[in-house]
Amino acid sequence: MSNLQSQDYIRISATTVTPPAARSWEDQVAKLIDVTRCIGCKACQAACMEWNNLRDEVGFFEGTYDNPLDLDPHTWTLMRFTEYENPKGDLEWLIRKDGCMHCEDPGCLNACPAPGAIVQYANGIVDFISENCIGCGYCVKGCPFNIPRISQADHKSYKCTLCSDRVAASLEPACVKACPTGAIMFGSKKDMTDWAGERVIDLKSRGFENAGLYDPPGVDGTHVMYVLHHADKPSIYAGLPDQPKISSTVEFWKGLLKPLALGSIAFGVVAGFVHWITAGPNEVQPEDEAEANHLLASKGRPTADPSRSIAEETP
Amino acid sequence: MSYPKGTIIRNSTPARLNHWLTAACFVLLTLSGLSMFHPLLFWLSSLFGGGQWTRAIHPWIGVVLFVSYCGLIVQYFRDNIWRREDLEWLRAINKVIVNKEEGVPEIGRLNAGQKFVFWSMALLVPALLLTGLVIWEYYFGRATSIETQRIALLLHSMMAIAAILVWIVHVYAAIWVRGSMRSMTQGYVTAGWAWRHHRKWFRDLVETDSPGPRPITNERGRK
Ligand code: HEM
Ligand code: SF4
Ligand code: SF4
């Protein structure tokens, strides 16, 4: 996406100063994907391609309904199909719309080294600002959901924008508009959470006793949430992480290590300087030259002309 | 290169070229790497033509550094082998550090401090290459798992910091001990310098009538 700044930032990648924060009266938004109502028609996938002008290369059929097989710089959302046999021995066809979860605490943004390449708006949407992206792929390591994809053509990272351009103009995301069953809803995070609560009650009454809302606390919640029939085991939905959180490796690398590293480099330089002004340079003395020349002469080797001291002009 | 009368050759011309190629790569890697390491230093990426260029060029400079450092290993490893007197020299480090030479044991071509720098880099540079390859998005972005890449990235930045600290020690030592800089630019030192700082090396050179940088060994394996 481009940097229109039509919405307000609350987080900016690789920035040590406070982002502009005055206009703060904005609702947190959320997209609610009700997996239990999805029929796998892929209208949302097509709508995403159409609104964002994305056309992936035609790939190969690998014997599954997943098409294309994975997210890609040209595929920002993707239906993932799972044939799940429940404990009663019945087949359940689980269809999950995969894509960026718009984490409240986004690992991609924390990991990104380029100022302003990833931003989070006041409404919670996490957006990649392509003109600032340097293509390093750190966001891939930061993300707990395996979402960002780096283009081999332009070295920029891509993912779902939650249609930040549409939302800024008070439109719902394209996928929401296209869904024929109402499985994708969009609104304030509170409204979506309330609505999900009703859905969960309904599902429980129909025998899905583990139905629930997927709004993982490990990343402080997400702005894309799922209603799952089996919220006790998210991973059966094509590997949706059970307890996503930013990897502790990434936390340490982007946390403690940064001040520690700069501090120790500064310490090294200062220590050198202090040594220089206390102990001072180690210089060759005339006695050294005399002793050395004595040894050289004893072996009949030429010695330096004493009237022209080389040692003095030493840099 | 002609050397003034009575001086000792300390670093051969190929070794000096090799050294400065390594140094240039190291400085460029430090600047470009640090720009991606800390937001406060991102401005360093302007030196390379912006963030995209910095990201693209850093790993390639790393490959050149690795090849170049291998050259230094080949040329210097014999004089960096640990010897008994190195330990004694280390015991006298409190004298060395305040420029007192009395009571410091005579040492060969390189002292324990120089050997520490050499072997640290001999370990860190290949390790930086290895972890660097794992996190090289364009070529190897899909070659390893994301978890592996996370660990490689953390190790790469920690080892880079370690290498930079070793490098600060190295550069400061070159400034501190007057005359060492010339040994790496023009290649020679005065006899007095060799006597003062590497007396064992100096004695070996004189004994075998070698102009430097290494004693002449005959076929029987004498020094
Ligand atoms: C020896 C071969 C090396 C290779 C192949 C290599 C490769 C890489 C790669 C691929 C990255 C990620 C950014 C990018 O794609 O450009 C990176 C980051 C970095 N490199 Fe290297 N590098 C090497 C050596 C070095 C050396 C010698 C230093 C400094 C002493 C260094 C310091 C850094 C730093 C500080 C970062 C940023 C890490 C972070 O963001 O935390 N690298 N390197
Ligand atoms: S799902 Fe991944 S890419 Fe999306 S906001 Fe969270 S960390 Fe970033
Ligand atoms: S590739 Fe990802 S982490 Fe790197 S600059 Fe672009 S958005 Fe930031």
Side-chain angles (χ1 to χ4, degrees), chain A residues 166-230:
Chain A
R166 291 174 58 92
V167 172
S170 295
L171 297 170
E172 61 198 352
C175 55
V176 177
K177 193 165 176 69
C179 179
T181 67
I184 316 176
M185 312 284 282
F186 183 80
S188 75
K189 175 133 185 179
K190 179 168 183 314
D191 287 352
M192 290 302 105
T193 309
D194 292 348
W195 169 239
E198 286 181 35
R199 285 293 303 145
V200 168
I201 291 167
D202 182 48
L203 285 162
K204 285 191 170 156
S205 76
R206 294 202 276 136
F208 292 103
E209 64 262 25
N210 292 317
L213 175 68
Y214 185 84
D215 180 21
V219 291
D220 293 351
T222 53
H223 294 271
V224 171
M225 308 186 290
Y226 292 114
V227 171
L228 303 175
H229 348 50
H230 309 288

Side-chain angles (χ1 to χ4, degrees), chain A residues 100-103 106-108 126 128 143-145 147-148 159:
Chain A
C100 175
M101 300 295 287
H102 296 270
C103 311
C108 56
V126 178
F128 286 8
C143 175
F145 294 95
I147 299 299
K159 70 161 188 70

Side-chain angles (χ1 to χ4, degrees), chain A residues 25-86:
Chain A
W25 199 254
E26 203 167 335
D27 250 351
Q28 296 266 302
V29 297
K31 181 164 84 180
L32 182 69
I33 302 170
D34 189 344
V35 174
T36 67
R37 282 164 56 161
C38 173
I39 56 170
C41 69
K42 300 184 186 173
C44 53
Q45 239 180 275
C48 179
M49 286 169 61
E50 187 169 288
W51 176 257
N52 293 301
N53 294 327
L54 300 167
R55 297 294 183 275
D56 205 348
E57 266 180 46
V58 177
F60 296 93
F61 179 63
E62 301 275 352
T64 83
Y65 275 86
D66 295 13
N67 178 16
L69 281 172
D70 196 11
L71 296 171
D72 174 271
H74 302 277
T75 302
W76 296 352
T77 190
L78 172 67
M79 310 313 292
R80 295 192 188 269
F81 294 75
T82 308
E83 289 170 19
Y84 169 66
E85 200 180 307
N86 67 22

